[in-house]
Amino acid sequence: MGSLTKADMAERLNEELGLNKREAKDMVESFFEEIRTSLASNEQVKLSGFGNFDLRDKRQRPGRNPKTGEEVPISARRVVTFRPGQKLKDRVEAYADNGGEL
Amino acid sequence: MTKSELIERLVDRHEQLSVKDVELAVKTMLDQMTEALSHGDRIEIRGFGSFSLHYRAPRVGRNPKTGASVSLTAKYVPHFKPGKELREQVNDSLLRD
């Protein structure tokens, strides 16, 4: 069980699409950068088939310092959530059906 | 931002590439990510975040219409954990509003 990285993705763009190594690396970088920029401008990202990156505003809520037990409020914040698309969900479930360790 | 808007933005940033190249590149990247997860691999993108699979135990569900119980098998669902940089940038946008 491995881990897919930006380097693996650039390598495939180089090998399969023939982008040169510099272009391939820049493409992968700018792909994630554009998604991040969009989310940082409070703009949802919808990649059909793969999934949606949504933004949620959370209100301040009470929390606790786990070490001291002291009550510390958790401040209001904006968070990213990912909702996988149907195609991705189906593909991942198929993994479980085909010998994923369950 | 939709996939086609993402493609437009990438086209603007990669003037040496054709629209077709960029479309194919985006498709290839998303396919590769889907493939990785469907093989049980993780995806780790520094500064952006990581994708992994979360296990869902088998459970007894109900048909909401009839109330009949249905046994649902164990499954995996994709999960995304935003990286520090993304988390901070998104939260900073709240402070700017």
Side-chain angles (χ1 to χ4, degrees), chain A residues 55-75:
Chain A
L55 295 150
R56 290 177 64 170
D57 286 351
K58 306 239 184 182
R59 290 201 297 193
Q60 177 178 313
R61 60 190 168 92
R64 238 173 233 292
N65 179 327
K67 272 201 190 132
T68 63
E70 183 195 359
E71 272 200 47
V72 190
I74 297 169
S75 58

Side-chain angles (χ1 to χ4, degrees), chain A residues 1-4 9 12 23 30 33-34 36 40 43-46 48 77-78 82 91 95 101, chain B residues 1-3 9 13-14 16 32 35 38 40-42 44 76 80 86 91 93-94 96-97:
Chain A
M1 208 173 282
S3 215
L4 181 71
M9 294 173 68
R12 183 175 296 193
E23 287 168 344
S30 53
E33 220 172 87
E34 287 296 337
R36 200 169 58 217
E43 184 190 24
Q44 177 200 35
V45 176
K46 303 200 285 187
S48 66
R77 58 193 61 202
R78 178 170 290 156
F82 176 68
R91 293 283 305 272
Y95 160 71
E101 302 120 69
Chain B
M1 177 173 74
T2 61
K3 199 194 287 181
R9 293 179 199 188
R13 288 180 64 163
H14 298 266
Q16 77 286 12
Q32 191 176 10
E35 233 172 76
S38 67
D41 288 342
R42 292 169 55 85
E44 286 185 28
Y76 283 101
F80 174 65
L86 176 60
N91 196 42
S93 74
L94 178 66
R96 282 197 306 271
D97 284 352

Side-chain angles (χ1 to χ4, degrees), chain B residues 37-55:
Chain B
L37 290 171
S38 67
H39 293 153
D41 288 342
R42 292 169 55 85
I43 305 172
E44 286 185 28
I45 308 297
R46 196 168 311 146
F48 184 78
S50 58
F51 296 84
S52 58
L53 299 186
H54 277 191
Y55 176 71

Side-chain angles (χ1 to χ4, degrees), chain A residues 27 30 34, chain B residues 4-23 26:
Chain A
M27 177 56 72
S30 53
E34 287 296 337
Chain B
S4 42
E5 286 163 349
L6 171 61
I7 290 168
E8 280 172 34
R9 293 179 199 188
L10 291 172
V11 166
D12 289 343
R13 288 180 64 163
H14 298 266
E15 285 173 344
Q16 77 286 12
L17 298 177
S18 69
V19 175
K20 267 264 157 297
D21 283 337
V22 176
E23 281 172 352
V26 168

Side-chain angles (χ1 to χ4, degrees), chain A residues 25-41:
Chain A
K25 185 166 179 284
D26 288 351
M27 177 56 72
V28 175
E29 287 292 342
S30 53
F31 173 79
F32 289 107
E33 220 172 87
E34 287 296 337
I35 297 175
R36 200 169 58 217
T37 303
S38 177
L39 294 171
S41 329

